[in-house]
Amino acid sequence: MSKASKTDWKRLAKLKDEQIDTSDIPELDDEFFARAELHVPPKQAVTMRLDAGAYPEPCV
C-alpha cells in the first residue's frame, strides 16, 4: 500500500488560479498540441469469479 500524501489538498483547493506560481512550467502553445500524440494502452481481458453471496440477486 502507498504512503499517505503529505499534500494539504484542502488548502490547495481554496487557491485561485492567480495564486498558483507556474513560472517554472513552460506555456503549452499550438506547436506543442500539433506534435502531441495520444497513446492509449491496449485493452486486456480480465476474468473474475465471485461467490454467490458476494452480490445481490438480479431484479427481473
Side-chain angles (χ1 to χ4, degrees):
M1 191 119 86
S2 63
K3 295 181 182 179
S5 173
K6 294 180 182 179
T7 303
D8 186 353
W9 294 109
K10 289 181 182 176
R11 182 182 64 85
L12 287 176
K14 293 178 185 176
L15 285 177
K16 294 184 178 168
D17 288 348
E18 301 81 36
Q19 296 174 296
I20 300 172
D21 178 15
T22 59
S23 61
D24 61 335
I25 304 170
E27 288 286 328
L28 301 181
D29 56 9
D30 291 337
E31 180 185 350
F32 171 85
F33 290 103
R35 293 183 295 124
E37 296 178 10
L38 178 62
H39 294 273
V40 180
K43 293 186 178 187
Q44 181 177 3
V46 177
T47 303
M48 179 172 45
R49 293 181 61 148
L50 297 174
D51 289 333
Y55 54 94
E57 289 293 321
C59 297
V60 184

